[in-house]
């Protein structure tokens, strides 16, 4: 076991524990804006679908029910503009984090292969490379990378942590470059529904991929759009030549979404009303927190989409974390996401209206 765990970095959130204790000691309680976990209720129609499917004594299938695959293909056509999508183009997964962590291993990558991800990025991209014993590289522009040995390129738009959105023409250029060099593209698009000052575009859009899914897969999650983080509900869509072998591997590994969760996902993907309502909640919280942070002397960079504000006072992120903890506000230090974030903090919009109002009052 130690041989596996020794490949991994220190779990970053453990470093935040003393600051959480400080924030929790505030007389009015902690305002936790550190982890992007949903706090609003699961929409009623989704809960009803889950309960209706609760009598599920048999094993679910890894590929999911035909109804689930219909819901996914219908959603990527309607919402992402994907064309000519069939059941072979989609694959349910057990939340997106397990996919990110285990994809390099499932692709058969090893010490002679490289995985690339943004310089500021979700830490699990690196974890996935380490678990597979693969090499990894970070980038500002992936087309500047040496393609030799590069087998997997992670894109993340909108970005976690910065909220940066890659324009359509940029995605088109990157996909073309990757295809030219035989590099597989996985695009993490879990925050695509949460564009504020930009309209995020998927790699599944024909303007980006030229009408072909060759070498391109998109990752989508229902955690944020539908408050289903506790359900572990996500899916892949894209190149059948990639998803077919992944399906076979995941069958052997028993990586199956529970039957009640599959039914809940069908309901969630079939309803756009609850997504719009949740967007309105986040938009209101974003406006309040953004104005409060700016008034407190912060500068906000990017943050045109996603569930976070990427903020700085041009000092060490840990100095900022400590300062805000004294106010009873907990945020994530930017260096969790790479050395380039050492002077930033990530402020999540995932707190109740009451707690966000408390943070705004303290910042004032």
């Amino acid at each position: 076991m130690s041989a596996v765990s020794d490949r991994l970095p220190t779990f970053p959130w453990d470093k935040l524990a003393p600051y959480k204790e400080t924030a929790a000691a505030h007389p009015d309680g902690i305002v936790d804006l550190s982890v992007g976990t949903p706090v609003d209720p699961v929409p009623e129609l989704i809960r009803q679908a889950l309960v209706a499917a609760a009598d599920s004594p048999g094993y679910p299938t890894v590929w999911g029910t035909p109804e689930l695959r219909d819901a996914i293909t219908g959603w990527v056509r309607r919402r992402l503009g994907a064309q000519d999508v069939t059941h072979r183009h989609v694959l349910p997964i057990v939340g997106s984090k397990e996919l990110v962590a285990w994809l390099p291993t499932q692709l058969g990558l090893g010490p002679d292969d490289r995985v690339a991800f943004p310089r500021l990025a979700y830490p699990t991209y690196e974890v996935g490379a380490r678990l597979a014993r693969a090499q990894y590289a970070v980038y500002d522009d992936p087309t500047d990378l040496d393609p030799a040995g590069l087998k997997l390129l992670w894109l993340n738009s909108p970005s976690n942590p910065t909220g940066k959105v890659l324009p359509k023409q940029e995605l088109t250029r990157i996909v073309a470059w990757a295809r030219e060099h035989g590099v597989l593209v996985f695009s993490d698009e879990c925050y695509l529904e949460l564009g504020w000052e930009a309209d995020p575009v998927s790699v599944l859009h024909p303007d980006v991929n030229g009408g072909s899914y060759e070498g391109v897969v998109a990752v989508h999650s229902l955690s944020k759009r539908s408050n289903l983080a506790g359900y572990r509900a996500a899916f892949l869509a894209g190149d059948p030549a990639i998803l077919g072998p992944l399906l076979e591997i995941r069958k052997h590994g028993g990586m199956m979404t529970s039957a009640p969760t599959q039914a809940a996902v069908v309901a969630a993907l079939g309803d756009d009303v609850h997504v719009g309502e949740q967007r309105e909640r986040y938009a209101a919280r974003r406006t309040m927190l953004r104005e409060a942070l700016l008034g407190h002397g912060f500068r906000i960079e990017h943050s045109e989409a996603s569930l976070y504000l990427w903020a700085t006072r041009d000092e060490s992120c840990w100095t900022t974390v400590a300062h805000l903890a004294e106010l009873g506000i907990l945020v994530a230090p930017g260096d969790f996401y790479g050395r380039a974030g050492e002077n930033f903090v990530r402020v999540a919009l995932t707190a109740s209206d009451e707690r966000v109002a408390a943070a705004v009052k303290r910042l004032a």
Side-chain angles (χ1 to χ4, degrees), residues 5-15 123 126-127 130 336:
S5 62
D6 286 350
R7 297 180 212 159
L8 304 179
T10 302
F11 189 63
W13 294 96
D14 293 343
K15 303 176 186 177
E126 178 183 332
V127 167
R130 286 174 176 255
F336 277 11

Side-chain angles (χ1 to χ4, degrees), residues 231-291:
Y231 284 45
R232 309 316 301 132
F235 60 88
L236 306 178
D239 190 347
I242 304 300
L243 300 188
L246 283 179
L247 172 59
E248 294 305 313
I249 292 167
R250 295 171 70 83
K251 283 180 181 179
H252 284 288
M255 293 177 165
M256 57 189 78
T257 304
S258 75
T261 296
Q262 291 187 32
V265 171
V266 172
L269 292 178
D271 178 73
D272 294 332
V273 174
H274 76 277
V275 180
E277 293 172 347
Q278 189 60 45
R279 274 182 54 88
E280 290 179 5
R281 295 187 189 104
Y282 285 136
R285 294 166 187 166
R286 179 181 183 271
T287 297
M288 293 174 63
L289 284 170
R290 183 183 180 92
E291 292 178 357

Side-chain angles (χ1 to χ4, degrees), residues 129-192:
R130 286 174 176 255
L131 285 171
R133 294 190 176 92
Q135 302 173 52
Y136 57 88
V138 299
Y139 65 79
D140 295 310
D141 179 345
T143 65
D144 291 335
L145 293 167
D146 180 356
L150 181 59
K151 298 297 177 62
L152 173 61
L153 173 63
W154 279 109
L155 302 181
N156 181 209
S157 175
S159 163
N160 175 13
T162 69
K164 180 179 179 180
V165 173
L166 293 175
K168 183 188 294 184
Q169 61 269 25
E170 187 75 357
L171 287 171
T172 303
R173 182 178 67 86
I174 293 169
V175 167
W177 176 87
R179 283 175 170 166
E180 179 185 352
H181 296 287
V183 179
L184 176 61
V185 174
F186 265 68
S187 180
D188 183 346
E189 302 174 352
C190 291
Y191 296 93
L192 185 137

